[in-house]
């Protein structure tokens, strides 16, 4: 299994944010009644070896996502699995800007086929529960208009804080997190439950995020701020 990211936010970034706002973390505590875990794109297209958009490190974060989600369910925190899907009719898709410019012709058809809505399910290594919510998005961000039903669902659940996990850290996770903050959600990027194609890309997002868009915590930090009584050992 590929190794997890082994990078941490650098001291000078922590010093910068502390000087600016008087503390390093945005949120000292989390309210279980108003928090949800949003897991982005943990599906075959990104997790499976040899898949057209494989992120090898995504497989390494599965144990941490399972550990976190188990404890969140115990605290009554809802879990949202947000999977990417695009429809197409012949050679035309619902996101031509992406398919015509981001992927080469020899990858385009494989990617389009792999992302058909009817084929999407949560990656097999992840533990889900019947009370979890699974929904689809068709853009990097789950919050951009028309992408998914995530925002109205969260509002209807009374959620004002979201924890972001999944892949890629610097693409769909970051895009979703940035838009969530702009929509006045409190956002926490769960650093050891996110995966990118390189340590540098992963770290760049975490350092940008903690400065301008939301908090960055490990899954154990999240649990401790949410409910100190929850165990941190094996679920």
């Amino acid at each position: 299994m590929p190794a997890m990211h082994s990078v941490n936010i650098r001291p000078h970034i922590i010093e910068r944010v502390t000087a600016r706002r008087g503390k390093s973390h945005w949120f000292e505590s989390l309210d279980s009644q108003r928090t949800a875990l949003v897991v982005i794109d943990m599906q075959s297209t990104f997790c499976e070896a040899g898949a057209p958009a494989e992120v090898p490190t995504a497989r390494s974060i599965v144990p941490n996502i399972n550990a976190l989600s188990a404890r969140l369910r115990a605290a009554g925190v809802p879990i949202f699995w947000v999977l990417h899907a695009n429809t197409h009719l012949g050679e035309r898709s619902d996101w031509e800007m992406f398919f015509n410019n981001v992927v080469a012709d020899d990858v385009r058809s494989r990617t389009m086929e792999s992302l058909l809505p009817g084929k999407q399910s949560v990656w097999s290594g992840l533990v889900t529960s019947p009370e979890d919510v699974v929904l689809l998005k068709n853009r990097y961000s789950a919050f951009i208009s028309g992408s998914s039903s995530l925002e109205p669902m969260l509002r209807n659940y009374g959620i004002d804080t979201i924890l972001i996990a999944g892949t890629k850290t610097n693409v769909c996770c970051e895009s979703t997190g940035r838009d969530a903050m702009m929509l006045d959600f409190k956002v926490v990027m769960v650093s050891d439950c996110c995966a990118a194609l390189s340590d540098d890309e992963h770290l760049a997002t975490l350092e940008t995020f903690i400065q301008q868009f939301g908090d960055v915590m490990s899954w154990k930090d999240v649990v401790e701020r949410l409910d100190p009584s929850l165990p941190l050992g094996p679920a």
Side-chain angles (χ1 to χ4, degrees), residues 99-120:
F99 287 106
N100 290 341
N101 295 282
V102 179
V103 289
D105 289 344
D106 59 337
V107 180
R108 184 175 188 270
S109 59
R110 288 180 58 220
T111 306
M112 289 174 68
E113 186 66 21
S114 76
L115 290 174
L116 283 171
K119 290 187 173 182
Q120 307 316 314

Side-chain angles (χ1 to χ4, degrees), residues 4 24 36 46-47 80 96 130 136 172 193 204 216 230:
M4 284 179 51
S24 58
F46 306 102
C47 296
F80 290 80
E96 290 289 274
L136 302 178
C172 293
C193 289
V216 176
L230 290 172

Side-chain angles (χ1 to χ4, degrees), residues 2 22 26 29 37 62 74 76 92 98 113 161 165-166 180 187 195 205:
W26 287 49
S29 63
L37 174 63
V62 167
R92 303 298 296 273
F98 173 84
E113 186 66 21
T161 303
V187 186
T205 285

Side-chain angles (χ1 to χ4, degrees), residues 4-224:
M4 284 179 51
H5 295 296
S6 59
V7 292
N8 295 298
I9 295 173
R10 293 168 294 175
H12 77 274
I13 299 294
I14 298 299
E15 291 171 4
R16 180 188 299 166
V17 298
T18 302
R20 183 180 187 187
R21 60 176 176 255
K23 59 181 182 178
S24 58
H25 283 289
W26 287 49
F27 314 119
E28 298 304 322
S29 63
L30 300 170
D31 182 354
S32 62
Q33 299 301 306
R34 306 209 67 186
T35 299
L37 174 63
V38 176
V39 187
I40 301 290
D41 290 355
M42 292 298 288
Q43 61 199 90
S44 294
T45 298
F46 306 102
C47 296
E48 185 176 344
E54 180 190 2
V55 183
T57 313
R59 295 189 290 277
S60 73
I61 62 174
V62 167
N64 283 356
I65 294 176
N66 284 338
L68 175 59
S69 59
R71 287 159 179 83
L72 294 180
R73 290 190 195 96
V77 174
I79 314 295
F80 290 80
W81 304 94
V82 181
L83 308 179
H84 195 94
N86 289 108
T87 57
H88 68 87
L89 181 63
E91 292 300 310
R92 303 298 296 273
S93 77
D94 63 352
W95 197 8
E96 290 289 274
M97 181 60 66
F98 173 84
F99 287 106
N100 290 341
N101 295 282
V102 179
V103 289
D105 289 344
D106 59 337
V107 180
R108 184 175 188 270
S109 59
R110 288 180 58 220
T111 306
M112 289 174 68
E113 186 66 21
S114 76
L115 290 174
L116 283 171
K119 290 187 173 182
Q120 307 316 314
S121 60
V122 177
W123 177 243
S124 59
L126 290 159
V127 177
T128 62
S129 178
E131 67 262 28
D132 296 352
V133 178
V134 180
L135 54 88
L136 302 178
K137 65 177 177 66
N138 64 10
R139 293 294 187 273
Y140 294 149
S141 169
F143 285 105
I144 193 171
S145 178
S147 175
S148 81
S149 60
L150 181 61
E151 183 183 358
M153 292 195 73
L154 293 174
R155 303 288 190 197
N156 288 334
Y157 271 72
I159 299 299
D160 69 5
T161 303
I162 64 170
L163 315 169
I164 294 185
T167 194
K168 298 175 188 175
T169 314
N170 58 317
V171 184
C172 293
C173 294
E174 181 174 349
S175 296
T176 297
R178 284 181 178 231
D179 284 350
M181 182 269 189
M182 245 79 76
L183 291 167
D184 287 324
F185 287 96
K186 300 173 185 177
V187 186
V188 178
M189 194 76 71
V190 188
S191 57
D192 52 359
C193 289
C194 291
L197 287 172
S198 71
D199 284 351
D200 287 345
E201 291 162 290
H202 179 73
L203 180 60
T205 285
L206 301 185
E207 293 189 335
T208 298
F209 210 83
I210 200 168
Q211 294 181 77
Q212 299 293 151
F213 297 101
D215 218 331
V216 176
M217 302 179 192
S218 70
W219 76 261
K220 291 185 177 181
D221 289 336
V222 167
V223 171
E224 288 175 345

